[in-house]
Amino acid sequence: MTELIPAPRSAVAGSGEVRLTRHSRLYADPATEGVGHWLSAALRQATGLPLREGRELDEAEGGIGLQLDPGLGPEEYRLVSDHFGVLIEGGDAAGVFWGAQTLRQLLGPDAYRRAPLDRDRVWSVPYLRIEDAPRFRWRGLMLDVARHFTPKEGVLRHLDLMAAHKLNVFHFHLTDDQGWRIEIERHPRLTEIGSWRARTKTGHRASPLWEDKPHGGYYTQDDIREIVAYAAERHITVVPEIDVPGHSQAAIAAYPELGNTDVIDTTALSVWDTWGINPNVLAPTDNTLRFYEGVFEEVLRLFPSEFVHIGGDECPKDQWRHSETAQARIRELGLADEDELQSWFIGHFDTWLAARGRRLIGWDEILEGGLAKGAAVSSWRGYAGGIAAARAGHDVVMCPEQQVYLDHRQDPGPEEPVPIGWVRTLEDVYRFEPVPPELTPEEARHVLGTQANLWTEVMEDPARVDYQAFPRLAAFAEVAWSALPAPAERDFAEFQRRMTAHYRRLDALGVAYRPPAGPLPWQRRPGVLGRPKDGPPPSR
Ligand code: TNX
């Protein structure tokens, strides 16, 4: 009946349909006013209908009503379409918003367009009753804007695509060796120097090819405020990531004193132009701590999210091993080794964030050497980190690279344009289970949810990002939202049947997804850019 993605908890069909006409009104009770504005703007542009504001629910007859129902839980909604019109009720405004997304799907693919194709067409919603609520409260997407920059418009577009899939956490990977993308007023060189690199390795780091063209860009603080506000209107939380103490070469290129100056000449470093794990990490000095406290102070002013991501991944310890300054710090703190030094570094920011009412989240390496109490973990190197963290009482976001790293190829065939990483097909993603069976129900409560990650080393333009993200993000959204059975029992054929309708929505949205039959000629890249064999991702 309905071809909704993600699938709702329950949908019961009636017989008949609501027709939206020039006389249809949209009523939103005060608590859902923001959703009303979003929905009327979206539907007005797609349909050309005026959808005037109703002043009370009765006036919405033959139209659309939005209101809260205190009997429903967070993000839960009920959508009833019958002879009165369409009524969407939610436990909170977010629930009503997800109901509004469902309504858009019910109206058909052209409801996703920005101008009507035909002003005379009839818009209708079948009579039905949908009851729906998410499985997880963290339904995330990470976008790496450091390796390849996505200008602000592209970020806003990702937020729209997330909303259409009922995803609600945007993990914004803002800094890395290859670029610093957020304006920090007190440290202007971070963007003056750190946001541009002279050239870029094409494809896999072992590739012999370079693109000899500067690449860069950054978001001003006003851009960030706009992005955060735009996300909030879509009930999406933006979690910023400032990656420390590894993945920091762009920052060191801008401020050489942040690096291990007693080991290498950090003034010779520039923003990195290739991929992999970078040896040039932050020095564990007071100066570095004060510098990054300044960065985080500005970050906290811009991002109201409970969680702040501090990275913590892939921090090689060689420079610390050879640095007299780092070794002196280890001795002075009575630490056992460099792993504990990293823990101390992360622990410093955990305390610092907690004192400001925020919670730290980091990649699973932050577990090594002990983790502060309230900190949460993004489990990326498989499930193991997440299991260990949940057992130790830490909250977890499950994003194992073997399952939901969308930079990895989605077909074993030689024609796949980005032949890196493990093969993860649409079906593999559909059968991904965020809660590992090893966890007891008590431990499993620490799994806040799940997240798909879009690392962009091999995604040099927006079309390539779309290709890697879709259609797999649709399968991921269903895993994150819907109460699916165990992986082996999931009905992939039925999902694919619904995908037929969903591809039409993606078409209307202008998403350059991977076509079900494989890449088109223009979507291919020469094989030298990646490694043809299955295995761990060669981008590192
Ligand atoms: C690992 S996931 C990384 C990223 C790379 C990615 C490529 C993580 C915390 N670190 O820096 O972009 O693999 O798949």
Side-chain angles (χ1 to χ4, degrees):
M1 166 210 33
T2 59
E3 294 172 314
L4 300 171
I5 286 184
R9 287 255 155 110
S10 83
V12 181
S15 64
E17 61 182 25
V18 174
R19 290 199 167 193
L20 297 183
T21 68
R22 306 198 62 72
H23 307 291
S24 299
R25 287 180 182 264
L26 189 144
Y27 167 81
D29 79 16
T32 66
E33 211 173 63
V35 185
H37 289 150
W38 178 87
L39 185 62
S40 56
L43 296 186
R44 273 178 200 144
Q45 61 176 6
T47 65
L49 296 173
L51 283 173
R52 273 182 279 274
E53 239 173 77
R55 274 174 309 277
E56 48 191 301
L57 197 54
D58 288 347
E59 278 190 348
E61 204 163 310
I64 300 167
L66 310 177
Q67 66 182 12
L68 296 189
D69 174 350
L72 300 176
E75 298 196 272
E76 185 174 356
Y77 74 90
R78 183 190 309 116
L79 185 157
V80 178
S81 157
D82 60 17
H83 58 283
F84 288 114
V86 179
L87 177 62
I88 302 174
E89 293 173 289
D92 51 19
V96 176
F97 183 72
W98 306 128
Q101 293 298 335
T102 296
L103 172 60
R104 207 179 184 192
Q105 293 203 354
L106 293 170
L107 283 166
D110 290 334
Y112 287 91
R113 296 192 183 271
R114 301 226 195 139
L117 301 184
D118 168 8
R119 286 184 180 270
D120 295 326
R121 87 163 252 184
V122 175
W123 292 92
S124 63
V125 183
Y127 285 0
L128 45 60
R129 178 189 179 89
I130 290 173
E131 308 204 1
D132 201 7
R135 177 176 176 201
F136 293 109
R137 75 165 159 112
W138 185 302
R139 304 180 301 279
L141 176 68
M142 188 217 72
L143 182 64
D144 165 13
V145 294
R147 272 57 175 275
H148 280 100
F149 181 58
T150 300
K152 185 193 73 186
E153 278 300 318
V155 174
L156 301 179
R157 175 175 174 272
H158 274 279
L159 293 169
D160 281 326
L161 292 173
M162 286 179 67
H165 291 84
K166 300 188 171 75
L167 298 173
N168 70 340
V169 179
F170 180 59
H171 175 163
F172 206 4
H173 185 78
L174 285 162
T175 70
D176 216 303
D177 300 303
Q178 297 85 357
W180 184 284
R181 307 281 175 229
I182 175 173
E183 175 188 24
I184 300 295
E185 285 166 357
R186 75 190 75 184
H187 305 308
R189 288 166 58 89
L190 284 172
T191 44
E192 282 166 17
I193 304 289
S195 72
W196 283 88
R197 58 178 182 258
R199 59 173 196 167
T200 299
K201 176 55 67 82
T202 311
H204 176 226
R205 71 184 138 85
S207 140
L209 304 179
W210 299 86
E211 190 177 31
D212 264 310
K213 189 174 95 180
H215 177 91
Y218 70 93
Y219 312 104
T220 65
Q221 296 206 350
D222 278 345
D223 291 341
I224 296 281
R225 287 185 192 96
E226 180 184 357
I227 288 167
V228 169
Y230 194 86
E233 285 175 0
R234 284 149 188 78
H235 295 274
I236 295 170
T237 301
V238 185
V239 173
E241 179 183 352
I242 303 292
D243 205 341
V244 295
H247 288 281
S248 299
Q249 184 164 318
I252 300 170
Y255 292 95
E257 64 273 23
L258 294 173
N260 293 287
T261 51
D262 57 350
V263 181
I264 60 156
D265 175 11
T266 55
T267 62
L269 292 176
S270 47
V271 179
W272 213 22
D273 57 11
T274 186
W275 319 120
I277 299 181
N278 187 307
N280 300 309
V281 305
L282 298 176
T285 59
D286 290 340
N287 174 59
T288 305
L289 296 180
R290 298 295 91 74
F291 183 97
Y292 275 89
E293 285 167 4
V295 170
F296 281 115
E297 259 170 44
E298 295 189 28
V299 165
L300 295 197
R301 279 212 307 271
L302 296 167
F303 296 91
S305 60
E306 176 188 12
F307 284 101
V308 174
H309 208 292
I310 50 73
D313 57 316
E314 299 179 326
C315 176
K317 308 292 186 304
D318 286 355
Q319 291 187 351
W320 289 356
R321 252 173 236 124
H322 294 110
S323 156
E324 204 18 67
T325 312
Q327 292 303 317
R329 182 121 255 183
I330 288 179
R331 284 194 298 276
E332 158 205 323
L333 294 166
L335 303 175
D337 56 17
E338 292 76 18
D339 280 345
E340 287 196 4
L341 188 59
Q342 160 143 349
S343 284
W344 165 82
F345 193 96
I346 300 293
H348 175 84
F349 287 103
D350 184 64
T351 312
W352 191 92
L353 287 169
R356 286 155 185 81
R358 307 295 183 102
R359 289 177 67 191
L360 176 146
I361 182 164
W363 301 109
D364 56 49
E365 285 93 332
I366 66 171
L367 285 163
E368 293 158 14
L371 182 52
K373 190 92 187 70
V377 170
S378 306
S379 185
W380 75 276
R381 295 174 301 175
Y383 289 103
I387 293 172
R391 289 195 172 143
H394 295 287
D395 286 340
V396 176
V397 175
M398 280 293 184
C399 50
E401 62 173 342
Q402 298 83 348
Q403 319 277 346
V404 285
Y405 268 37
L406 302 183
D407 53 329
H408 294 185
R409 59 200 162 130
Q410 46 202 321
D411 189 87
E415 78 289 357
E416 199 55 26
V418 179
I420 73 149
W422 282 281
V423 176
R424 282 300 167 255
T425 64
L426 180 63
E427 179 164 2
D428 292 332
V429 174
Y430 193 64
R431 295 192 193 282
F432 162 59
E433 174 48 47
V435 180
E438 294 93 317
L439 294 182
T440 65
E442 173 66 24
E443 291 162 352
R445 271 202 284 278
H446 285 295
V447 180
L448 299 177
T450 181
Q451 182 172 296
N453 292 340
L454 281 168
W455 297 103
T456 56
E457 290 98 327
V458 290
M459 300 182 215
E460 61 276 23
D461 58 43
R464 170 65 66 238
V465 179
D466 274 11
Y467 182 95
Q468 292 301 115
F470 292 98
R472 291 182 296 183
L473 195 66
F476 174 79
E478 186 145 308
V479 167
W481 176 277
S482 308
L484 295 178
E489 279 128 55
R490 290 180 192 169
D491 189 345
F492 181 64
E494 192 272 340
F495 172 74
Q496 272 188 308
R497 191 185 59 72
R498 281 181 288 122
M499 274 308 287
T500 307
H502 201 65
Y503 284 119
R504 301 291 78 79
R505 295 176 195 131
L506 297 178
D507 286 334
L509 280 162
V511 174
Y513 55 81
R514 179 185 194 276
L520 301 168
W522 64 268
Q523 291 175 314
R524 298 193 187 121
R525 293 284 193 280
V528 64
L529 308 183
R531 135 163 122 190
K533 291 265 158 43
D534 198 14
S539 52
R540 270 176 281 123

